[in-house]
């Protein structure tokens, strides 16, 4: 039986909120009418009178001269009166403003009310059919908000500072609580002004909404590429050209110089990860190469894998049959998980063929690629496609695989895939959200300057400047002298002199250091040995040596929780889950050859050292600051059985710590994923998968 909707009885309301309407009143439901009346009565009896009394008291206190001999007595008397007033406030529930009573802990609760502990009675039956009145109430509250230009200086300062603070530091749930605290303070001060209880209302009052009001979300027809408003999109394509001829028309066709073949970009995200990677796994399951038992074994093999921060963990999805996989998860599967788990699952020919695809993804997903990398990746895709023709039925081959062979030309024409692949648009609603945040961040400074200039209160700008300038502490010398080409070369060219005091990327500054602390003795000895080797001066002395005219290394360091180098985050393993602490770096062997070792960062730190006081080379103030990582290096093995899939097998123990445990952060070559591994002889090992590091500049 269909529910019977009761008609809503409406009344003319002329309260302080509704009288601002065009007709001087508004027609609202009975429930809303009562709520408005109660609010007006509450404001008159409990807000205005105490406020006026307080103003009179303050005026009389200021106008009369102060008797110096009675200062102590007056202050004690004022404290007694204030404590009495606060006790009265606590004892009297009616004084609480309705907008700050029982404040919810999230913005969702603020808008719709908490879902828990709801008791349905006969009174709530009527509320189920008053959705319109609830919407009207929200609109009424919005219409009652004053414009920022109509507020006085103090209220403007409160609104703008809270809005900026929320947009920079606080998530929505915490913002609602912060707003409730500010409103409670205003109530205790008998100030009738209140902040809007929602983040959206706060930004609207501050004027932030005007910056992003033009941002809208549109959808494109997948057939004819026509653009529609998000709420007005048809269910199917209505283009007569596409229906009649199958032609997908868009406005760029009007450009005479536009080449529809050469100017079209193949999206690597869909082509590689959402296309072939998913298709191959479905074929292995369909052919019986992978069953439920093998899925469970695969899950167990990688349950303790440690990934770099920018790679997505699959959790338990392998054992569950890869349900609801997204593109970033398929990327992690291809580059990290599959080379480890598929070796003992697939037949060797199928496994070798899959590794050709994995190697192509490794070459193509580098943030910085060379022409040689592009050619190697293209050859890997060619071998993969040829292998699929012979190893599988022909129905496996798809247009997506054909487009693999055009990725090379796409990268030659348009550069690395990070410039155009569609990972950013995989998240629903990300585009409009990101655009709003970008506009707010870009115009914060101008927004504050314009408002405060109109207020003639530029003295307040100092505090707002902390919200709008994020790089005010960036060192001028380091930012101007940084060279990205030299920085990238430092991790690959061991003949280049790197001591640790070279400029870091400006985005990494300022480093968030902890208070000074003593370095443990053994690790301090490693630091002294490093300086002796780096500056080629065995006379450099430590604390245990006799201090003479030789350079002296102190044992004070400033530890750093993490450092962000061109978008790649590194951190120590102490007190963390290990994400971002496994790295790879080049070292020169005794034979003169170069070898990449894998290590675990214990902690990052900053140390100040000046080799010679009188040297002109190191006279600059900033060259004495060195940024290091203290690293434990895994012992390598001669076992090359996993070399085919690009996986390195290491011993589950470290080399003895020495001066090479001190690594300048400039020398970090790659990030590494690592997982525990047990051989057929039941010996514990480590499997490591080197991965490309981010380069955003």
């Amino acid at each position: 039986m269909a529910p019977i909707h009761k008609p809503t009885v409406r009344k003319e309301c002329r309260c302080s909120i509704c009288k601002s309407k065009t007709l001087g009143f508004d027609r609202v439901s009975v429930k809303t009418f009562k709520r408005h009346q109660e609010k007006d009565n509450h404001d008159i009896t409990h807000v205005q009178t105490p406020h006026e009394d307080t103003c009179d008291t303050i005026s009389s206190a200021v106008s009369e001269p102060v008797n110096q001999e009675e200062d102590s007595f007056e202050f004690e008397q004022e404290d007694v009166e204030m404590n009495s007033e606060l006790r009265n406030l606590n004892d009297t529930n009616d004084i609480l403003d309705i907008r700050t009573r029982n404040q919810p802990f999230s913005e969702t609760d603020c808008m719709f009310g908490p879902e828990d502990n709801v008791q349905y009675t006969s009174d709530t039956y009527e509320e189920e059919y008053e959705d319109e009145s609830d919407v009207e109430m929200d609109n009424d509250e919005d219409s009652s908000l004053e414009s920022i230009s109509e507020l006085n200086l103090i209220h403007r300062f409160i609104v703008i500072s809270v809005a900026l603070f929320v947009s920079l530091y606080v998530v929505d749930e915490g913002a609602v609580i912060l707003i409730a605290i500010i409103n409670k303070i205003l109530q205790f001060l008998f100030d009738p002004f209140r902040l809007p209880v929602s983040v959206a209302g706060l930004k609207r009052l501050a004027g932030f909404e005007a910056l992003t009001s033009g941002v809208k979300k549109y959808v494109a027809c997948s057939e004819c590429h026509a653009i529609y408003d998000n709420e007005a999109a048809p269910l199917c394509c209505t283009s007569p050209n596409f229906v009649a001829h199958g032609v997908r028309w868009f406005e760029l066709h009007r450009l005479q110089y536009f080449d529809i073949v050469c100017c079209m970009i193949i999206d690597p995200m869909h082509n590689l990860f959402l296309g072939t990677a998913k298709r191959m796994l479905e074929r292995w399951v369909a052919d019986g190469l992978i069953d439920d038992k093998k899925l469970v074994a695969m899950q167990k093999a990688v349950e303790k894998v440690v990934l770099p921060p920018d790679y997505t963990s699959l959790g338990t999805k392998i054992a569950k049959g890869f349900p609801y996989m997204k593109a970033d998860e398929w990327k992690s599967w291809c580059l990290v998980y599959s080379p480890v788990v598929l070796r003992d699952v697939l037949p060797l020919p199928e496994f070798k063929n899959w590794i050709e695809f994995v190697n192509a993804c490794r070459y193509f997903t580098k943030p910085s690629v060379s022409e040689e990398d592009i050619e190697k990746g293209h050859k890997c895709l060619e071998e993969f496609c040829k292998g699929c023709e012979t190893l599988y039925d022909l129905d496996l081959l798809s247009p997506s695989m054909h487009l693999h062979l055009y990725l090379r030309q796409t990268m030659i024409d348009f550069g690395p895939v990070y410039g155009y692949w569609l990972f950013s648009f995989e998240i629903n609603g990300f585009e409009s959200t990101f655009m709003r945040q970008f506009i707010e961040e870009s115009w914060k400074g101008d927004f504050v300057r314009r408002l405060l200039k109109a207020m003639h209160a530029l003295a307040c700008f100092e505090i707002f400047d902390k919200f709008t300038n994020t790089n005010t502490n960036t060192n001028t010398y380091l930012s101007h002298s940084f060279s990205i080409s030299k920085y990238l070369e430092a991790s690959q060219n061991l003949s280049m002199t790197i001591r640790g005091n070279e400029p870091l990327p400006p985005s990494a500054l300022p480093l968030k250091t902890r208070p000074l602390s003593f370095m443990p003795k053994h690790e301090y000895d490693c630091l002294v040995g490093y300086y002796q080797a780096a500056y080629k001066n065995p006379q450099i002395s430590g604390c245990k040596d006799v201090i003479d005219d030789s350079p002296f290394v102190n044992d004070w360091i400033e530890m750093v929780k993490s450092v962000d180098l061109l978008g790649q985050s590194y951190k120590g393993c102490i007190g963390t889950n290990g994400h971002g602490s496994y790295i790879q770096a080049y070292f020169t062997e005794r034979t003169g050859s170069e070898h990449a070792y894998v290590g675990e960062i214990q902690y990052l730190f900053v140390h100040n050292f000046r080799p010679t006081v009188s040297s002109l080379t190191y006279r600059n103030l900033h060259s004495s600051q060195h940024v290091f990582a203290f690293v434990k290096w895994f012992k390598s093995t001669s076992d090359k059985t996993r070399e085919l899939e690009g996986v390195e097998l290491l011993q589950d123990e470290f080399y003895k710590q020495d001066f090479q445990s001190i690594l300048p952060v400039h020398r970090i070559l790659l990030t590494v994923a690592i997982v525990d591994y047990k051989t057929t002889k039941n010996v514990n090992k480590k499997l490591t998968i080197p991965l490309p590091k981010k380069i955003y500049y």
Side-chain angles (χ1 to χ4, degrees):
M1 181 177 179
I4 301 175
H5 292 271
K6 299 168 61 177
T8 303
V9 179
R10 299 188 176 276
K11 300 184 66 175
E12 290 186 4
C13 181
R14 301 179 182 273
C15 67
S16 58
I17 297 176
C18 298
K19 70 180 181 180
S20 60
K21 300 290 185 179
T22 306
L23 300 178
F25 65 89
D26 195 10
R27 298 185 64 84
V28 298
S29 64
V30 176
K31 181 180 177 180
T32 303
F33 177 80
K34 292 179 179 178
R35 194 184 307 170
H36 285 197
Q37 298 300 318
E38 291 175 357
K39 179 180 179 302
D40 276 1
N41 295 335
H42 174 272
D43 290 343
I44 293 173
T45 58
H46 295 288
V47 175
Q48 294 178 356
T49 303
H51 179 64
E52 292 172 357
D53 294 344
T54 306
C55 292
D56 295 339
T57 304
I58 295 175
S59 300
S60 61
V62 172
S63 59
E64 296 179 1
V66 179
N67 187 341
Q68 300 294 338
E69 297 179 356
E70 298 179 358
D71 281 351
S72 176
F73 174 79
E74 290 180 359
F75 285 136
E76 293 177 359
Q77 185 67 23
E78 289 175 1
D79 291 341
V80 172
E81 293 176 357
M82 180 60 70
N83 292 334
S84 177
E85 290 180 2
L86 291 177
R87 282 194 299 270
N88 292 336
L89 286 174
N90 292 331
D91 295 337
T92 307
N93 292 330
D94 293 339
I95 197 68
L96 296 177
D97 191 284
I98 192 171
R99 286 169 292 184
T100 57
R101 185 188 298 133
N102 297 329
Q103 189 66 33
F105 283 91
S106 69
E107 189 175 6
T108 305
D109 292 345
C110 175
M111 298 298 293
F112 303 103
E115 296 181 2
D116 298 329
N117 302 326
V118 177
Q119 299 178 354
Y120 290 94
T121 62
S122 58
D123 294 332
T124 59
Y125 177 80
E126 181 181 355
E127 295 176 9
E128 292 181 20
Y129 302 104
E130 290 193 359
D131 293 340
E132 278 188 45
S133 63
D134 291 337
V135 173
E136 286 181 358
M137 184 61 191
D138 292 337
N139 294 335
D140 292 340
E141 291 180 356
D142 290 342
S143 64
S144 67
L145 295 177
E146 301 176 76
S147 170
I148 187 70
S149 60
E150 298 176 0
L151 301 177
N152 61 41
L153 176 61
I154 297 177
H155 293 163
R156 285 197 215 184
F157 178 83
I158 294 173
V159 171
I160 298 173
S161 59
V162 174
L164 290 175
F165 185 82
V166 165
S167 67
L168 190 61
Y169 298 111
V170 186
V171 296
D172 287 355
E173 287 79 2
V176 173
I177 300 176
L178 175 63
I179 292 172
I181 294 173
I182 299 296
N183 283 339
K184 183 63 66 176
I185 294 174
L186 291 170
Q187 176 187 334
F188 285 154
L189 296 176
F190 304 109
D191 191 327
F193 175 73
R194 298 292 184 271
L195 293 174
V197 294
S198 67
V199 177
L202 177 67
K203 289 186 175 182
R204 183 160 49 250
L205 179 58
F208 270 31
E209 187 186 49
L211 299 176
T212 58
S213 58
V215 178
K216 297 183 63 177
K217 183 178 180 180
Y218 297 90
V219 294
C221 176
S222 61
E223 306 294 345
C224 66
H225 296 176
I227 304 298
Y228 297 95
D229 189 276
N230 189 38
E231 299 179 355
L235 297 178
C236 59
C237 181
T238 59
S239 172
N241 290 331
F242 181 79
V243 174
H245 309 291
V247 177
R248 297 182 176 180
W249 170 263
F250 65 117
E251 291 300 315
L252 292 179
H253 283 131
R254 298 183 185 276
L255 302 175
Q256 296 182 359
Y257 57 83
F258 179 74
D259 189 326
I260 193 173
V261 176
C262 297
C263 295
M264 297 301 292
I265 293 178
I266 300 172
D267 172 36
M269 183 191 78
H270 287 87
N271 184 245
L272 297 175
F273 302 125
L274 289 177
T276 300
K278 181 179 180 180
R279 190 176 183 86
M280 293 303 298
L281 187 64
E282 291 173 347
R283 175 50 58 98
W284 295 330
V285 173
D287 291 348
L289 298 178
I290 297 179
D291 54 21
D292 292 342
K293 185 177 180 181
K294 290 182 178 180
L295 288 174
V296 173
M298 290 161 57
Q299 180 70 59
K300 186 177 180 180
V302 292
E303 62 183 357
K304 293 184 179 180
V305 64
V306 180
L307 300 175
D310 50 320
Y311 285 81
T312 304
S313 174
L314 299 188
T316 59
K317 286 191 173 183
I318 296 179
K320 296 178 180 179
F322 300 87
Y324 308 107
M325 293 277 285
K326 295 184 178 180
D328 56 345
E329 294 172 322
W330 284 116
K331 176 187 172 186
S332 296
W333 162 252
C334 291
L335 298 180
V336 181
Y337 289 89
S338 66
V340 175
V341 301
L342 291 180
R343 178 184 176 87
D344 299 327
V345 173
L346 296 178
L348 188 59
E350 282 81 357
F351 178 69
K352 288 183 176 180
N353 177 253
W354 170 251
I355 291 300
E356 294 287 355
F357 178 80
V358 172
N359 288 334
C361 293
R362 288 170 176 166
Y363 286 119
F364 284 169
T365 57
K366 290 183 177 181
S368 177
V369 295
S370 62
E371 293 183 358
E372 182 181 3
D373 292 332
I374 296 175
E375 288 299 324
K376 288 181 179 179
H378 179 72
K379 289 181 180 179
C380 289
L381 284 179
E382 280 186 331
E383 294 299 321
F384 169 72
C385 292
K386 290 178 182 178
C388 288
E389 285 185 292
T390 58
L391 294 172
Y392 304 97
D393 295 336
L394 294 182
D395 63 343
L396 174 69
L397 304 179
S398 65
S400 179
M401 290 185 176
H402 172 72
L403 292 177
H404 288 341
L405 305 181
Y406 291 91
L407 283 173
R408 173 180 64 175
Q409 193 60 43
T410 297
M411 296 183 69
I412 292 174
D413 292 340
F414 300 100
V417 297
Y418 281 76
Y420 47 84
W421 66 5
L422 299 180
F423 272 103
S424 299
F425 298 95
E426 187 186 12
I427 305 174
N428 184 30
F430 172 81
E431 309 95 312
S432 57
T433 302
F434 177 80
M435 183 57 65
R436 289 190 179 94
Q437 291 178 350
F438 174 77
I439 293 175
E440 286 184 3
E441 289 296 327
S442 301
W443 292 96
K444 266 181 189 176
D446 293 338
F447 171 77
V448 171
R449 289 181 181 90
R450 176 173 54 83
L451 278 179
L452 294 182
K453 187 175 181 180
M455 294 161 54
H456 302 287
L458 292 179
C460 301
F461 185 74
E462 181 179 355
I463 188 171
F464 295 129
D465 190 54
K466 299 181 184 296
F467 296 137
T468 56
N469 290 338
T470 57
N471 292 324
T472 53
N473 295 326
T474 300
N475 193 285
T476 305
Y477 164 78
L478 293 177
S479 60
H480 282 286
S481 60
F482 174 74
S483 170
I484 188 171
S485 59
K486 292 182 180 179
Y487 172 80
L488 296 177
E489 184 184 2
S491 62
Q492 303 180 21
N493 185 4
L494 292 181
S495 63
M496 186 176 178
T497 301
I498 298 295
R499 297 188 175 95
N501 61 343
E502 291 75 18
L504 291 174
S507 58
L509 305 173
L511 296 174
K512 297 181 179 179
T513 58
R514 295 175 179 175
L516 284 169
S517 59
F518 285 108
M519 197 172 189
K521 183 180 182 304
H522 178 67
E523 297 170 6
Y524 169 69
D525 293 339
C526 297
L527 180 63
V528 175
Y530 170 81
Y531 280 129
Q532 292 174 347
Y535 288 98
K536 299 179 181 179
N537 183 2
Q539 301 300 321
I540 294 177
S541 60
C543 294
K544 65 180 181 180
D545 302 319
V546 177
I547 300 177
D548 50 19
D549 293 336
S550 61
F552 170 73
V553 180
N554 66 72
D555 56 355
W556 289 89
I557 61 173
E558 295 176 279
M559 299 185 69
V560 181
K561 181 179 180 180
S562 64
V563 60
D564 187 281
L565 302 176
L566 297 181
Q568 188 67 55
S569 179
Y570 304 96
K571 60 181 66 175
C573 66
I574 299 177
T576 66
N577 53 13
H579 295 292
S581 61
Y582 294 99
I583 59 169
Q584 190 179 62
Y586 275 130
F587 286 93
T588 303
E589 302 283 338
R590 294 179 179 177
T591 59
S593 61
E594 296 179 356
H595 181 72
Y597 285 83
V598 175
E600 181 184 49
I601 299 176
Q602 302 303 299
Y603 56 88
L604 299 154
F605 68 97
V606 176
H607 185 264
N608 287 289
F609 171 72
R610 192 179 299 276
T612 53
V613 177
S614 60
S615 174
L616 295 176
T617 306
Y618 307 109
R619 182 172 293 178
N620 192 291
L621 175 64
H622 311 288
S623 63
S624 63
Q625 186 181 78
H626 298 67
V627 185
F628 297 122
F630 189 86
V631 184
K632 291 183 178 180
W633 300 102
F634 286 100
K635 289 185 177 181
S636 57
T637 65
S638 57
D639 190 346
K640 305 297 181 183
T641 56
R642 306 299 296 260
E643 191 174 16
L644 168 67
E645 55 265 36
V647 177
E648 186 177 359
L649 193 63
L650 302 175
Q651 297 185 38
D652 194 13
E653 57 180 308
F654 300 108
Y655 285 106
K656 183 180 179 180
Q657 298 173 16
D658 58 9
F659 72 95
Q660 292 180 330
S661 296
I662 306 296
L663 181 73
V665 294
H666 312 71
R667 287 289 192 191
I668 298 177
L669 177 65
L670 296 174
T671 59
V672 172
I674 192 167
V675 64
D676 295 333
Y677 174 73
K678 188 167 289 188
T679 64
T680 55
K681 296 182 180 180
N682 206 28
V683 178
N684 292 326
K685 299 286 185 180
K686 293 284 187 181
L687 290 180
T688 62
I689 306 97
L691 298 168
K693 63 181 180 181
K694 289 183 178 180
I695 304 176
Y696 294 154
Y697 184 65

